Amino acid sequence: MFRYFAATTARASNVSRLGQRVVQSRRVLTGTACIGQIRKMSTQQNNSLSDSNVRYTIMAVAAAAGLSLFGLAGYAMFFGPGSMYPKPVRNLLREAGMAYMRPPEKQDLPKALECYRQALAQLDALGTSDSQHARDMPHVTGLVARVATVCTEMGDLDGAIEAYTDLLERLLGTDGMRDATTQVRRLLDDSLDKNERQGILRALGCANKLAETYEARGQRSKRRSAVLPHARAASTADADKAAQWYGWCLQLVMLTYQNHFNHQQLADNKQPTNTPSFDPDTLPSYFPVDIVTSLMYNAATFYSGNAQIELAEPLLQRALDLMRRGADGEETNVCRSSILMSHLANTGVMSGNLPAAERWSIDGLALAKRFPHNADCLNSFIALTYDLGIVYEAAGSLESARVQYRQAAEIAASTGDDDAAKLATDAMTRISK
């Protein structure tokens, strides 16, 4: 599911990861598609104010998780009318639903998973002789999506990866999984059946979720590597797979958008270009703005977490362009834009481009101040204030830096974000020595 920028929700403060440390590994990931295209998107110059040996710990803001992923969320919750399933399968689905569709404290996820898997096995067996239940039919693939969802909720990331991979193979076939351009050609075909197009978009959501799950498993292995040396190799392998699938998603979206954009350019007697405008009005109608920006955000946070700033920065900037930098004044868009700017400020700090970090911090703070009661605006305000402190500290303006760190610490403490408060307090202590 896309780590979607959300407006204030009841659980927004609970999912904030303000203050988490970003591990600045310099390992080069492999298998990432569209790398050259993403690099070309970056136009910012690296004009560093800091000593190249200085390393700062940044604050990373995570927005509340949302539900939009090209229909995959609803797809995993409702996968066909009951009449489509044979009676034994319906009985299993009913039993699974009684274990799963309950308040969290009353769920029996292992039982639900067992029943869903049994139902899927029965459908696959029927599908070998009855095309109505073929393995790529929506009511069958939707059940695979449910298995992946339950595995994820159980913390069984191995099972989730297996299920998402199975789902992609059912939706796209082996060739489609290997090469995203095959799906680009299909999406650009105006005669493509609506259901087929929906299937590709579901596959895109699934591929993004697969990338996220590999990323999460890799992070878990990295945490275990201190006591389990072999876990480091597993973490590296999972990061490579996450990069592969984020790249697959970006290639599908970017190539489709570029071709669609150039088609419109030619229709308007204009020259085609290698860089679309990233104006939301120019996106294909089947690519909602919030979904494309969320995909870019997901991939960018992955790249920045692996110190690949040259990939993260242009994705964040283009996502901000699609949001029109909150220019419409609507609360959700303003606060989403402030989150993007907080991540851009972080990339400036991590790369030593402190003038850019200062610019993004000031612009982001101007947005975040407009809706101080919105959780996303509040969280980005704390991170941006802290980033501005880093800029002032590197420039030698220690008193100005102290003011920023103190403000970040006080607001973080008032919101109960102990990690962020400690990070800012430690920074004040450092410059007071």
Side-chain angles (χ1 to χ4, degrees):
M1 181 177 302
F2 288 122
R3 288 184 296 258
Y4 178 77
F5 310 116
T8 305
T9 64
R11 63 176 187 159
S13 60
N14 296 327
V15 300
S16 170
R17 294 181 299 181
L18 250 165
Q20 80 176 40
R21 294 178 180 271
V22 175
V23 179
Q24 298 191 27
S25 165
R26 291 294 172 185
R27 181 179 58 78
V28 177
L29 300 178
T30 60
T32 306
C34 261
I35 295 298
Q37 185 175 6
I38 295 171
R39 284 198 176 107
K40 290 177 183 177
M41 287 157 53
S42 180
T43 58
Q44 208 166 64
Q45 298 296 315
N46 184 9
N47 180 16
S48 174
L49 286 177
S50 68
D51 187 319
S52 61
N53 293 321
V54 176
R55 300 293 290 275
Y56 295 97
T57 301
I58 65 171
M59 287 187 184
V61 179
L67 297 178
S68 297
L69 63 156
F70 292 108
L72 190 65
Y75 182 54
M77 296 300 294
F78 178 78
F79 32 84
S83 59
M84 297 190 66
Y85 299 99
K87 185 174 181 180
V89 175
R90 288 203 303 272
N91 291 338
L92 284 167
L93 293 178
R94 185 179 301 111
E95 188 175 355
M98 291 177 65
Y100 180 65
M101 305 298 292
R102 299 166 65 86
E105 67 274 9
K106 295 183 179 181
Q107 284 182 318
D108 186 346
L109 295 181
K111 180 179 180 180
L113 182 60
E114 180 183 0
C115 291
Y116 284 133
R117 282 176 166 166
Q118 289 180 14
L120 180 60
Q122 290 190 22
L123 284 175
D124 281 342
L126 287 170
T128 59
S129 57
D130 184 352
S131 60
Q132 181 183 355
H133 301 299
R135 63 195 313 273
D136 61 346
M137 292 294 287
H139 69 287
V140 179
T141 53
L143 186 51
V144 182
R146 173 62 65 82
V147 169
T149 300
V150 177
C151 284
T152 301
E153 292 183 18
M154 290 176 62
D156 179 7
L157 301 184
D158 295 347
I161 287 172
E162 180 181 352
Y164 282 124
T165 303
D166 179 28
L167 177 54
L168 273 175
E169 196 279 329
R170 291 169 185 259
L171 291 170
L172 302 177
T174 303
D175 290 342
M177 291 175 66
R178 184 166 46 244
D179 183 5
T181 61
T182 61
Q183 308 310 312
V184 173
R185 288 191 289 270
R186 294 178 65 202
L187 282 174
L188 292 170
D189 183 357
D190 291 336
S191 64
L192 183 67
D193 179 77
K194 179 180 178 181
N195 291 332
E196 291 186 53
R197 174 170 281 113
Q198 186 64 28
I200 297 172
L201 299 180
R202 285 170 175 164
L204 178 58
C206 178
N208 184 91
K209 187 59 181 175
L210 180 58
E212 284 188 13
T213 310
Y214 271 120
E215 181 184 359
R217 193 173 72 173
Q219 291 172 344
R220 185 173 66 183
S221 295
K222 184 178 292 186
R223 291 192 296 270
R224 294 174 175 174
S225 63
V227 292
L228 298 171
H230 69 276
R232 182 168 297 278
S235 174
T236 300
D238 281 341
D240 289 343
K241 294 296 289 186
Q244 173 190 333
W245 285 109
Y246 278 129
W248 189 95
C249 293
L250 289 169
Q251 185 178 42
L252 176 57
V253 170
M254 294 299 298
L255 291 180
T256 302
Y257 176 36
Q258 182 179 336
N259 279 275
H260 173 82
F261 181 83
N262 282 333
H263 178 76
Q264 295 300 319
Q265 288 286 99
L266 292 172
D268 295 337
N269 294 318
K270 298 178 181 179
Q271 289 295 316
T273 176
N274 290 327
T275 306
S277 67
F278 291 93
D279 183 301
D281 293 337
T282 65
L283 284 175
S285 59
Y286 44 82
F287 281 168
V289 173
D290 53 357
I291 298 300
V292 177
T293 54
S294 293
L295 170 59
M296 290 180 171
Y297 173 78
N298 288 1
T301 54
F302 168 75
Y303 292 134
S304 62
N306 287 275
Q308 293 184 288
I309 306 305
E310 75 280 6
L311 301 182
E313 184 179 36
L315 286 172
L316 291 168
Q317 290 197 38
R318 299 296 80 79
L320 193 58
D321 289 341
L322 287 170
M323 297 294 301
R324 290 188 172 136
R325 306 190 177 214
D328 62 2
E330 199 273 325
E331 178 175 344
T332 299
N333 289 341
V334 167
C335 291
R336 291 174 183 174
S337 296
S338 73
I339 288 177
L340 287 166
M341 289 183 183
S342 75
H343 283 274
L344 281 163
N346 286 345
T347 63
V349 170
M350 293 172 70
S351 64
N353 188 353
L354 296 181
E358 180 182 29
R359 183 170 65 253
W360 290 120
S361 296
I362 292 172
D363 290 350
L365 284 168
L367 291 180
K369 289 176 181 178
R370 295 176 63 180
F371 298 100
H373 299 297
N374 181 294
D376 286 340
C377 270
L378 179 60
N379 289 342
S380 60
F381 181 89
I382 298 171
L384 289 160
T385 301
Y386 175 86
D387 284 338
L388 203 52
I390 290 177
V391 172
Y392 293 151
E393 179 183 354
S397 301
L398 298 188
E399 185 55 40
S400 295
R402 191 176 291 108
V403 170
Q404 297 300 317
Y405 289 146
R406 182 182 297 112
Q407 185 177 18
E410 290 175 351
I411 297 176
S414 70
T415 63
D417 195 331
D418 295 337
D419 290 337
K422 183 179 185 304
L423 199 61
T425 301
D426 288 347
M428 282 193 293
T429 302
R430 181 180 64 246
I431 63 177
S432 298
K433 292 180 179 178

